[in-house]
Amino acid sequence: MLYGAECWPTKRRHVQQLSVVEMRMVRWFCGHTRRDRVRNEVIRDRVGMTPIEEKLTQHRLRWFGYVQRRPPEAPVRNGVLERVDNVKRGRGRPKLTWDESVKRDFKDWNIYKEIVLDRSARRLAINVPKP
């Protein structure tokens, strides 16, 4: 479900939809339905899973560290981190960008950019058990 998720600028609505789908699948393979009235936390504890939102953040921050460690002339670095300022944007609220998602992850997880650049420190700071 998370294939390529490190490149998605996810909104809260997307995370909510992924969480719903994940819990439906987990309930299905555990043999529970919504009528059984078993709480999601109980099922997650029984199966030993972490919320998909944490895994999504871990993937995104790992990808950010990878992009940052690349040389400045690398195409992936130019495509992800460089902004084009001379493009005219449409009316209304600006679209959520990938950098804004990463900044939100840094703020939510209370970590700094330098931690993500160091692989061993990153593993300790953002490691989430496999679902």
Side-chain angles (χ1 to χ4, degrees), residues 14-29:
H14 300 138
V15 173
Q16 178 65 28
Q17 288 174 340
L18 283 172
S19 297
V20 168
V21 169
E22 177 198 31
M23 281 314 298
R24 279 186 183 170
M25 286 192 264
V26 172
R27 282 178 180 279
W28 175 71
F29 74 71

Side-chain angles (χ1 to χ4, degrees), residues 67 70-84:
V67 170
R70 301 288 298 158
E73 63 274 356
V76 70
R77 191 165 176 151
N78 290 334
V80 172
L81 298 178
E82 299 296 322
R83 286 198 137 184
V84 181

Side-chain angles (χ1 to χ4, degrees), residues 23-76:
M23 281 314 298
R24 279 186 183 170
M25 286 192 264
V26 172
R27 282 178 180 279
W28 175 71
F29 74 71
C30 285
H32 292 293
T33 63
R34 294 286 297 157
R35 281 192 190 150
D36 297 339
R37 299 183 59 89
V38 179
R39 298 187 68 75
N40 291 344
E41 294 82 26
V42 172
I43 293 175
R44 273 204 184 100
D45 289 341
R46 193 175 298 161
V47 177
M49 289 182 62
T50 57
I52 199 163
E53 182 176 9
E54 293 178 12
K55 291 300 286 180
L56 187 63
T57 303
Q58 180 186 10
H59 283 271
R60 190 170 24 243
L61 292 177
R62 187 176 59 214
W63 176 252
F64 176 77
Y66 166 75
V67 170
Q68 284 291 331
R69 287 189 302 273
R70 301 288 298 158
E73 63 274 356
V76 70

Side-chain angles (χ1 to χ4, degrees), residues 13 28 91 95 99 103 121:
R13 181 177 54 92
W28 175 71
R91 292 178 52 177
K95 292 190 181 217
D99 342 348
K103 287 177 187 173

